[in-house]
Amino acid sequence: MDQGLFAFDNSYARLPERFFAHQEPTPVAAPRLLRLNTLLASELELDSAALKTADGVNVFAGNHLPQGASPLSMAYAGHQFGNWVPQLGDGRAVLLGEVIDRHGQRRDIQLKGAGPTPYSRMGDGRAAIGPVLREYIVSEAMAAMAVPTTRALAAVSTGEAVFRERVLPGAILTRVATSHIRVGTFQFFAARQDIAGLGQLADHVIARHYPEAAAAAQPYLAMFETILNRQAHLIARWMAIGFIHGVMNTDNMSIAGETIDYGPCAFMDVFHPETVFSSIDRDGRYAYINQPGIGQWNLACLAQSLLPLLDPSEDVAVAAIKDILDTFPQRFEAAYRREMGAKLGLTNAPAGGKEDAEGDMNLIRDWLQALADNHVDFSLAHRHLGSLDITSDVAKDAAFLALFNEPETVAEWLPAWRQRLAAEASSDSQRQANMMAVNALYIPRNHLVEEAIAAAENDDFGPFDELCEVLSRPFEAQPGRERFAEPPTAEQVVTQTFCGT
Ligand code: AMP
Ligand code: MG
């Protein structure tokens, strides 16, 4: 038996019955462990050796319910591409329970692809190996870049086929999240005018994630403000690494401020603000440059849902929460300027206040414009910039300028950048080290992810494992692994990604 595989303490399962459906995973034919995240396991105080045994693998496959689990599928609603859907819910996910990690943080352990649930609608409740490995690779790469994200604890194949456009091997991801509560969870109760449920959900979120809000004059407003702040910072992080979520529906926005739901997400190679990869995002609603605006739109949906908790007078409630909602653009911009500034080596907070901040924003804007005009690789451009000295060195500058089709465009920008660097107290070597520590050399480039998935579909997991290894140290040059840093060749460029559900 699995004596003590997980020390579960399941707070969500103690909420009222209408918050979820009791749901056990559906067993699969032939589970096989594809990868176990042993570092994450130890962070969660789990025993990796035990998790690798048949008992452990059977848990990840949904064939064995571990002791202490209270399996359930969560109810939620959401706006999908702006359209209201009153009932979504976990259509293929089962929350096994919660554990307390090494830092005292409560974490959800969820199986994704564990079979049908009452929320499956037309779906089969399953996941194909491609999307499972993709989520494993990208979510762990995000974590290695210190971006708040759900994590991947394990991937198993099921030995069963799933039927999409093609017949594909089935798989299950064990996902770990600070919680799986979404904007859409609040919308679910608000839309039903279930004010008691809404209040219980908000109280649960405050107790679990934002206990400091409990002491505020208006705890629900304080909770909203913290969620908004987290999202502003999260989206600024995405922008700074060239990440496009691809499906920022309100049911895919975490209340805990983590990146969640890796469907058709992608990292940009060549920089362009309008970039869209998702095959289902036909109007570019979730294009790279639209992400902050969509974040605010989703937060407006959350604000709307919270109104009944704020004040008996709707006018009073709207006025109070709108004041906070309206701070999103400036909070985002401040976070964005810090993130992008650090990428350019601008670590000093501008001394003179507004005017200097504007100067930095202009510098960032002109830099990105030069990248876009010249179709330059976003990640490599920052990496190369980080090797330049404050005084022009002809050979180094030439190597950098070679990235640009029309080097004149950036030759004008470089002196302005160098002038701004003069206000930094750091030496060349300090600044270069700082820039290398925030500008990743290795990102989960689409062509590498697809290469790993294609091999896995043919039962070769070597490329998947190697890609995971490379991406676990994204900032460090790894000799012999140069090809993982390179942009795609013309033949390798991926123009579309699919959520594959
Ligand atoms: P997503 O686009 O991944 O955020 O999913 C939107 C909704 O569709 C959620 O309620 C999912 O649980 C559900 N869903 C996605 N794929 C499947 C599937 N294969 N079977 C059942 N439900 C699914
Ligand atoms: Mg989702």
Side-chain angles (χ1 to χ4, degrees), residues 290-310:
N290 292 348
Q291 297 186 118
I294 290 292
Q296 189 176 2
W297 194 93
N298 289 349
L299 288 162
C301 292
L302 177 61
Q304 177 82 39
S305 300
L306 294 176
L307 292 179
L309 299 180
L310 300 180

Side-chain angles (χ1 to χ4, degrees), residues 76 80 88-93 112 119-127 164 182 247 249 251-252 261 499 501:
Y76 53 84
Q80 298 191 308
L88 290 162
D90 290 329
R92 53 168 169 170
K112 185 171 173 184
Y119 310 114
S120 295
R121 296 176 295 163
M122 305 300 281
D124 60 2
R126 292 299 183 187
R164 300 290 182 261
R182 309 132 192 273
V247 58
N249 295 335
D251 55 302
N252 293 336
D261 223 314
C499 52
T501 52

Side-chain angles (χ1 to χ4, degrees), residues 240-320:
I241 58 174
F243 177 76
I244 304 164
H245 183 285
V247 58
M248 288 177 74
N249 295 335
T250 58
D251 55 302
N252 293 336
M253 182 186 264
S254 157
I255 290 299
E258 292 177 330
T259 312
I260 188 169
D261 223 314
Y262 291 86
C265 65
F267 278 75
M268 270 191 293
D269 297 302
V270 163
F271 179 76
H272 196 285
E274 308 291 341
T275 306
V276 177
F277 285 99
S278 170
S279 62
I280 53 173
D281 190 3
R282 295 208 177 78
D283 304 323
R285 178 180 169 89
Y286 300 139
Y288 172 80
I289 199 65
N290 292 348
Q291 297 186 118
I294 290 292
Q296 189 176 2
W297 194 93
N298 289 349
L299 288 162
C301 292
L302 177 61
Q304 177 82 39
S305 300
L306 294 176
L307 292 179
L309 299 180
L310 300 180
D311 197 279
S313 150
E314 192 173 300
D315 289 347
V316 173
V318 168

